[in-house]
Amino acid sequence: MPYVNIKITREGVTPEQKAALIKGTTDLLADVLDKDPATTSVVINEVDLEDWGVGGMPVEQYRRALGKG
């Protein structure tokens, strides 16, 4: 009974994208580990940018430091 928790930053992910993540994750577990899709749970949590840190900095600050924000 696999349980997968996907955490992503809250940045406008669409319901269709979330459905694709759920299906892709479920299919991967079925293909690689022969897990039954009927008993596979996938949960997606969206986290506000100010609540996520990378490299010792909030995500937005980290992105600016990389020139990506």
Side-chain angles (χ1 to χ4, degrees):
M1 247 205 242
Y3 168 86
V4 178
N5 184 268
I6 299 172
K7 293 183 184 270
I8 57 175
T9 54
R10 187 180 315 275
E11 296 181 85
V13 178
T14 67
E16 295 79 17
Q17 289 171 317
K18 290 178 184 179
L21 284 172
I22 292 167
K23 180 173 182 353
T25 301
T26 301
D27 290 348
L28 180 65
L29 287 166
D31 293 345
V32 175
L33 299 178
D34 198 31
K35 296 298 183 179
D36 181 359
T39 62
T40 298
S41 297
V42 179
V43 175
I44 299 172
N45 296 113
E46 291 185 87
V47 180
D48 292 327
L49 285 178
E50 62 265 17
D51 295 330
W52 194 299
V54 177
M57 297 176 267
V59 168
E60 290 181 308
Q61 181 182 351
Y62 179 78
R63 288 178 180 169
R64 282 193 301 274
L66 293 177
K68 295 182 178 185

